[in-house]
């Protein structure tokens, strides 16, 4: 980074005033690709997700890991998420980490595409299961709904055995919220929720919503009904 002034492998921190690299230097060095980062509210740790493993550490962390921002040292958080992790997001209270992607194997034998973990690295049940007609789907993005559930977007056609493509709301009990129906024609790759929880913003590869309303790659939805 900074034109070769510093070596940073896949993970770096920059001063927002001028783009200069900070002293944060993740150890052990990462190999692979980081797709998503989230920072705890107190800024003491960052959580990362991607197609990655770690060099110089005897414990394989899989697609998810966390680091202390003060030192760059890896914490003990370990879910062993084999497969592609596309997005990680901490809940508003900081007690839950949402992991999205296509996870084939992990600690405790879990697998799936939208999985919530406590900060000990244990999966929280129940978790939703999404899939396509040919097998497991992929969640590209997920976001907490602020009430124990989450929104998911990606290249899937079913949620919990129900035909429900592209974008879904999963309630705190792991059930599909069928009242929230956006009827997109393509996969969202990014989601954001308003502070009052009433509007969900989606961006991605869609051009049509609500069975015929034109929205090119970005749209905002009422969270009560889609």
């Amino acid at each position: 980074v900074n034109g070769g002034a510093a070596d940073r492998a896949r993970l770096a921190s920059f001063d927002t005033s001028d783009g200069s690299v900070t002293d944060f230097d993740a150890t052990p060095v990462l190999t692979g690709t980081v797709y998503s980062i989230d920072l705890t509210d107190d800024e003491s740790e960052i959580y990362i997700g991607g197609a990655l493993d770690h060099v110089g550490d005897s414990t394989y962390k899989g697609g998810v890991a966390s680091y202390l921002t003060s030192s760059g040292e890896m914490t003990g958080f370990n879910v062993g998420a084999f497969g592609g992790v596309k997005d990680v997001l901490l809940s508003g209270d900081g007690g839950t980490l949402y992991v999205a992607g296509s996870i084939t194997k992990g600690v405790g034998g879990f697998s799936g595409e939208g999985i919530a973990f406590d900060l000990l690295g244990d999966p929280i049940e129940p978790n939703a299961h999404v899939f396509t007609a040919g097998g497991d789907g992929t969640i590209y993005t997920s976001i907490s709904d602020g009430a124990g559930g989450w929104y998911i977007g990606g290249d899937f056609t079913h949620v919990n055995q129900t035909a429900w493509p592209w974008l879904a709301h999963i309630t705190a009990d792991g059930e599909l919220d069928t009242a929230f129906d956006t009827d997109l024609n393509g996969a969202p790759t990014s989601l954001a929720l308003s502070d009052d929880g009433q509007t969900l913003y989606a961006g991605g590869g869609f051009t049509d919503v609500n069975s015929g309303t034109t929205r090119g790659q970005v749209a905002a939805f009422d969270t009560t009904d889609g």
Side-chain angles (χ1 to χ4, degrees):
V1 300
N2 292 160
D7 293 326
R8 297 289 187 270
R10 281 78 177 179
L11 191 61
S13 171
F14 300 94
D15 188 314
T16 55
S17 65
D18 60 7
S20 59
V21 69
T22 73
D23 292 335
F24 174 79
D25 191 0
T27 55
V29 175
L30 291 166
T31 60
T33 301
V34 176
Y35 291 127
S36 182
I37 298 173
D38 202 8
L39 185 68
T40 57
D41 283 347
D42 63 4
E43 301 185 10
S44 63
E45 296 179 29
I46 61 169
Y47 287 79
I48 65 171
L52 48 91
D53 55 19
H54 303 277
V55 175
D57 184 70
S58 60
T59 302
Y60 178 78
K61 299 291 185 178
V64 182
S66 68
Y67 292 84
L68 299 176
T69 56
S70 59
S71 63
E73 293 181 6
M74 184 184 294
T75 74
F77 182 79
N78 184 12
V79 301
F82 292 79
V85 173
K86 299 295 186 183
D87 196 20
V88 293
L89 185 79
L90 288 162
S91 62
D93 63 7
T96 303
L97 182 74
Y98 297 93
V99 178
S102 184
I103 300 166
T104 56
K105 182 182 178 182
V107 173
F110 70 84
S111 64
E113 295 72 37
I115 300 174
F117 297 94
D118 63 30
L119 297 194
L120 296 176
D122 295 323
I124 298 170
E125 295 294 343
N127 279 294
H129 179 61
V130 308
F131 60 94
T132 64
D136 289 340
T138 298
I139 293 177
Y140 297 134
T141 180
S142 64
I143 190 167
S144 170
D145 67 359
W150 61 100
Y151 294 92
I152 58 175
D155 185 18
F156 54 85
T157 59
H158 290 71
V159 177
N160 290 351
Q161 310 298 320
T162 299
W164 206 272
W166 311 120
L167 179 61
H169 178 217
I170 309 301
T171 63
D173 58 3
E175 298 298 321
L176 172 67
D177 175 11
T178 56
F180 180 77
D181 186 4
T182 60
D183 197 20
L184 300 178
N185 69 345
T189 53
S190 186
L191 297 172
L193 188 66
S194 62
D195 286 342
D196 61 12
Q198 295 181 9
T199 304
L200 181 73
Y201 297 89
F206 54 85
T207 58
D208 187 273
V209 303
N210 293 164
S211 300
T213 301
T214 300
R215 290 289 187 273
Q217 286 75 56
V218 64
F221 300 98
D222 187 318
T223 54
T224 59
D225 60 5

